[in-house]
Amino acid sequence: MYRNSWLPEVFNDFLNTANMPKTNATAPAINVLESEKEYTVELAAPGLSKEDFDVNINSDGDLTIKMEKKAEEQEKKGHYLRREFAYSKYEQTLILPDDVQKEHIAARVNNGVLTVVLPKIQIQEQKVARQIAVD
């Protein structure tokens, strides 16, 4: 199976939870897919809406994903004895490979998953067919 040489080093910090800046002990699960035409980053975001995300290209040309669930007033029925599944704040910067069309990156939230699509630059080979005159 062919693997791009950039994948391990670029996504190393992205996937290594020991290096992730976070305020909660649990970081969201991440999938990174590659196809012929694009890379797709999927981030588990159960219970979050598109308003809870900030996805942008920073001044260095890197992809930054910020996620923050605004604390809502909880009913006074009781208190949590244990709470593990809530992400209060998460931020990660992804260094993009050179073959990403940065102006066409798209993001969406659906069924508890943030999906960021990174389209690849498509290089088209021009095949030149012509008759060559014989002198």
Side-chain angles (χ1 to χ4, degrees), residues 3-52:
R3 293 183 79 153
N4 278 328
S5 61
W6 69 270
L7 185 63
E9 63 188 55
V10 170
F11 284 100
N12 187 39
D13 287 341
F14 196 61
L15 300 174
N16 186 351
T17 58
N19 295 328
M20 286 185 181
K22 58 190 177 201
T23 58
N24 198 323
T26 305
I30 298 171
N31 293 332
V32 180
L33 309 165
E34 180 184 10
S35 71
E36 187 177 315
K37 295 184 178 187
E38 64 194 19
Y39 304 100
T40 304
V41 177
E42 298 172 330
L43 187 133
L48 300 181
S49 65
K50 66 180 186 177
E51 292 78 22
D52 297 323

Side-chain angles (χ1 to χ4, degrees), residues 74 78-85:
Q74 295 187 11
H79 65 279
Y80 287 100
L81 297 177
R82 183 175 179 142
R83 187 173 186 180
E84 293 183 346
F85 63 87

